[in-house]
Amino acid sequence: MTAGNTNAVTARKFNIDTVEHAAQTPETELPWAELGLKENEFEEIVKLLGRRPTAAELAMYSVMWSEHCSYKSSKVHLRQFGEKLTDEMKKDMMVGIGENAGVTDLGDGWAVTFKVESHNHPSFVEPYQGAATGIGGIVRDIISMGARPVAVMDPLRFGAIDHPDTARLVHGIVSGIGGYGNSLGLPNIGGEVVFDSVYQANPLVNALAVGVLRHEDLRLANASGVGNKVVLFGARTGGDGIGGASVLASESFDDSKPSKRPAVQVGDPFAEKVLIECCLELFKHSLVEGIQDLGAAGISCATSELASNGDGGMQVELTDVLLRDPTLTPGEILMSESQERMMAVVTPENVAAFEKVMDKWDVEYSWLGEVTDTGRLVITWDGETIVDVDPRTVAHEGPVYHRPFHRPEWLDGVQADTFRASEAGKGLPATGEELKAAVLELMASPNMCDKSWVTRQYDHYVGGNTALASPDDAGVVRVDEETGMGVGLSTDANGRYAYLDPYTGAQLALAESYRNVATSGAVPMAVTDCLNFGSPEDPEVMWQFAEAVRGLADACQVLGIPVTGGNVSLYNQTGTTPIHPTPVVGVLGRFDDVARRTPSGWQRNADGQAIYLLGT
Amino acid sequence: MSETPLIADLRGPEPAPLSGAKIGVVTFPGTLDDRDAARAVRLAGATPVPLWHADDSPTALGDVDAVVLPGGFSYGDYLRAGAIARFAPLMGRIVDAANSDAKLPVLGICNGFQVLTESHLLPGSMIKNDHLKFICRDQVLRVENASTAWTNQYEVGQEITIVLKNQDGQYVADEKTLDELEGEGRVAFRYVGWNPNGSRRNIAGITNAAGNVVGLMPHPEHAVEPGFGPLSTDSGEYSTDGLGFFTSVLTTLVAGGTK
Amino acid sequence: MPRIVVDVMPKPEILDPQGKAIVGALPRLGFTAFSGVRQGKRFELTVEGPVTEEILEQARNAAATMLSNPVIEDVVNVEVLPEDGAEVRADADAAEVD
Amino acid sequence: MPRIVVDVMPKPEILDPQGKAIVGALPRLGFTAFSGVRQGKRFELTVEGPVTEEILEQARNAAATMLSNPVIEDVVNVEVLPEDGAEVRADADAAEVD
Ligand SMILES: Nc1ncnc2c1ncn2[C@@H]1O[C@H](COP(=O)(O)OP(=O)(O)O)[C@@H](O)[C@H]1O
């Protein structure tokens, strides 16, 4: 609850690498390689700044120019989602790719925002917390659009069901998703559970969240209005996500004993639930001008994106950040990925009202600085300038790679290995008994069997607006209680198809999701995707990626619905063996009245109804 | 061509409004089902009044005629379910009003039930489900006491389907307390069929001796609107069995107190 | 900074589902020496400055009223932790290198 | 029967939402002496017969591999509980009568 400089004492513990100092000491060795930057990238930073970066600037650029934050390998392909938009596709799109999540107009002044994201690697290391914080992250994206989150979904992929490590992952991940989502009061309305040994040491934990808002509540991540205040609120900043040992140890005054940094992050769903309610109250009273969630790259990302999207600059005093761990160095504070935090821009007139909302919900906050007209992002540590950059170079003008790609030679072999007409009928069940056995075997296979052992661990009733959830093909939630208007969602993917042919595989995923939404009775309107692939530095993986994106963009054009947002997850591989390319596609559709939703399968008391098979 | 036929008639019967009655719905930090409880109150024909946990003014309860403590994870349930919420300033007022001569009707649902046991308004406690997992399912209950403020619209022995969803739902108390509850007819609901969390003697809900304070783990507020709740096991139709809790309390209020 | 430890255990007569699950799983991992397991909670309360009898009394009160629920739990221990926790942690380190 | 106690705490650098919620609530009840709270777990393992060094070793192993999650938790204590737990419980009784 306290604002102000509570950490001032610690400010003196570091050898502060100021901008001035950096200009005077061009020869200083910097750990850019350990921070994941390539030599050309480091040289580019030096060129942009006209001097070597300070330790804090290096920290910012390294996290923001990472594959995860900058999309440097995927950008050139993802552009197609924008380039292939037709007027028909743009009709209801209020916000497209580029913001925290896309927004689609539902009519009657309502809009809906949704997005799917990955938390694959953290979930392998610590399944419960990795999956839990995956839900937390995607839900904050939805809040930051000005929306109330209304449901979540969780497409999951695990290794072989009988592998010794699979139980650890399945049970940890499922209870993590439930533990976090259930505590937020968000119904889980669908997802997937797939077992395939290609995901053995690289499970896929994708999480989708959907939220609804009135048009006037739409918020974007930008900082405008000179003199407006910048505030950080929610959880305190700890050493989360910085990595086991700090490579910025040079910053530390006493570098003989670097203090420990968490190996994994622990989620606090209670803090996030309070954060949701608190943000909704801020939106209701129009108390924030711009807002941004803190995910990967934390304060680096929030400050540079807010400033870069705004029309001026920003000035921030870093010693005002409330810390969970007082030993953090400035660079570490900038890189920290601590969960359950948000940053907002507030006009001076609204400061008191903002603080009142924080106090009501017992949420900690601290005022960090303000919007300026300099066009620069300036960050100080106890008054001394440690960052002075053009925010666009951090947030939006990072490196872009045209990675080489080529069709894998092995693909012909895999594709040739098809079902042969000459073998048709061989081994097919001939008798009733055999048929029964075959059906039972299919029904019992882990990928086909009933998923209620997973879904009953998820609350699908909370909110009282769930019209369909598991075991139906699409989840349906009511948006407007007056009219019954609502949305239907489905997520689908098939890594095996995409492995055989990524272009068609991605299209099949979209088509399946589209069908699931359409058969529930909704009119499909928008697409979100989570593209899970191996290393982009492998030209064959890069080809799979390029093909999948091209396939998806082409199919969206045919179906007339836009991709409004999504996420790319690369480097999903074990050693040099990539997972199957796995584009997970989510489709959202609109219902005039969810009373008209159609459940999958026939209902009880359906005696005498006719069954038709449609399509080819 | 005519309109697509409705698969199910999702519209509920229009309940007779008794809109004069005000029913408070408490929100603690981490409460999840407050909006659902308010909707149930409205569908039953009364007016929901939001109450804030931190309100410590003498008039904090306003002029509400009854109070619902809804479900959720107050304070994350991190210490024990309901353990921290129990100390909210508003809880002091509610405990006093429930114990006063006026016998304010109080219903605790799930986390609300846990808050009531932590406040010692109801005996016993809840521990982790015997299978250690969160569970969400359509649950059949048998009404064992139909004379409390919240159950008088049911019949003894009636089976109702509402929603069960919890992680710490196993009701425990020592044998003496359990015998007392049984002897005094204070077991209000029992699980039918499978016991979903290992609760002693299949107890799903209990009442205080006066019948104005009732707590249960399952969620009646999720079974009030056709199309958005559980399916009843025998008919396969949507169950609105939960509405009876809210119409019961209105009947109690009309009658001028607990039966 | 000094810390006070509060240990809370489920009452012996109350079923402990977590303890039960653990005792069932231990033999599968080759730990056969244990016939029963109960899982309780350990709280460490940090105190700024010396732990006076008054503060210890506050800890006992907090333990009895909030940190435990007397219907199902017993407070089995309230004590000041040796300043750097050294002697206690020695054991733990031994356990960790295994 | 003899019991071995295993104490497990969240690692100091890891966020402890439980402790955080408790430390926020304590002052509202007038317990103002505590600046921080961490919540961990206490396990009591029952042994049939005398606790040999071998059994203690098994307990340490179980603590490190199963009773704690080494990614986020530390085993801070593994020790044999005094036979009837008497001296430890004395304190607790004091706490309960308050
Ligand atoms: N991880 C999950 N989370 C939530 N719901 C899930 C999950 N996995 C499967 N489901 C739900 O279970 C039902 C059956 O899933 P699935 O067997 O994959 O269906 P289908 O084979 O028809 O696609 C669907 O309603 C789906 O949304």
Side-chain angles (χ1 to χ4, degrees), chain B residues 51-186:
Chain B
L51 299 176
W52 183 242
H53 73 109
D55 195 342
D56 57 0
S57 70
T59 56
L61 286 179
D63 51 357
V64 299
D65 302 299
V67 167
V68 179
L69 303 177
F73 291 87
S74 57
Y75 296 93
D77 278 1
Y78 290 148
L79 175 58
R80 289 179 311 280
I84 298 179
R86 168 242 160 146
F87 293 106
L90 188 73
M91 276 313 297
R93 308 262 166 218
I94 291 175
V95 171
D96 290 346
N99 286 333
S100 74
D101 292 342
K103 295 203 178 73
L104 179 78
V106 178
L107 174 67
I109 302 169
C110 194
N111 200 230
F113 183 19
Q114 292 156 340
V115 173
L116 290 176
T117 59
E118 285 281 339
S119 319
H120 310 304
L121 269 179
L122 292 173
S125 184
M126 255 66 63
I127 61 172
K128 219 163 261 324
N129 294 342
D130 56 357
H131 48 81
L132 300 177
K133 289 196 159 69
F134 186 94
I135 184 164
C136 175
R137 70 191 298 261
D138 298 357
Q139 179 69 49
V140 182
L141 304 181
R142 188 169 55 247
V143 180
E144 301 281 17
N145 179 334
S147 54
T148 75
W150 298 93
T151 59
N152 56 54
Q153 296 297 294
Y154 298 110
E155 319 233 314
V156 171
Q158 185 179 343
E159 293 193 355
I160 60 173
T161 303
I162 59 177
V163 166
L164 176 100
K165 42 168 217 184
N166 60 59
Q167 172 98 46
D168 299 286
Q170 177 172 186
Y171 181 74
V172 296
D174 57 42
E175 289 298 314
K176 185 165 149 279
T177 307
L178 291 170
D179 288 342
E180 253 167 49
L181 284 173
E182 301 270 11
E184 295 168 17
R186 290 169 53 198

Side-chain angles (χ1 to χ4, degrees), chain A residues 152-158 174 177 188-194 206 446-452 454-456 458 468-475 489-492 512 516 600:
Chain A
V152 295
M153 303 176 86
D154 60 330
L156 308 176
R157 281 165 177 75
F158 304 105
V174 168
I177 297 221
N188 186 310
I189 58 167
E192 297 168 81
V193 179
V194 175
N206 292 180
N447 290 340
M448 300 276 277
C449 71
D450 179 19
K451 305 295 191 317
S452 57
V454 171
T455 57
R456 72 168 171 240
Y458 301 152
L468 287 183
S470 132
D472 290 295
D473 287 342
L489 291 117
S490 169
T491 69
D492 291 282
E512 182 176 358
N516 282 335
S600 323

Side-chain angles (χ1 to χ4, degrees), chain A residues 148 182-183 185 268-270 273 360 456-459 461-464 478 481 593 595-597 604-605, chain B residues 3-4 10-11 29 31-33 35-36 39 76 78 134-136 138 163 165 225 228 233 235-236 238:
Chain A
R148 169 179 281 283
N182 294 340
S183 305
D268 182 351
F270 167 63
K273 166 65 181 168
K360 172 180 171 190
R456 72 168 171 240
Q457 297 179 52
Y458 301 152
D459 183 351
Y461 283 118
V462 64
R478 175 172 60 182
E481 291 195 33
D593 185 348
R596 291 185 201 291
R597 88 282 176 284
R604 266 204 285 163
N605 310 333
Chain B
E3 286 238 284
T4 327
L10 302 186
R11 308 282 167 219
T31 294
L32 306 178
D33 300 309
R35 268 181 298 269
D36 307 61
R39 183 191 293 116
Y78 290 148
F134 186 94
I135 184 164
C136 175
D138 298 357
V163 166
K165 42 168 217 184
E225 223 188 338
F228 300 93
T233 9
S235 67
Y238 282 107

Side-chain angles (χ1 to χ4, degrees), chain B residues 16-33:
Chain B
L18 213 155
S19 50
K22 295 202 176 106
I23 302 195
V25 176
V26 182
T27 301
F28 300 100
T31 294
L32 306 178
D33 300 309

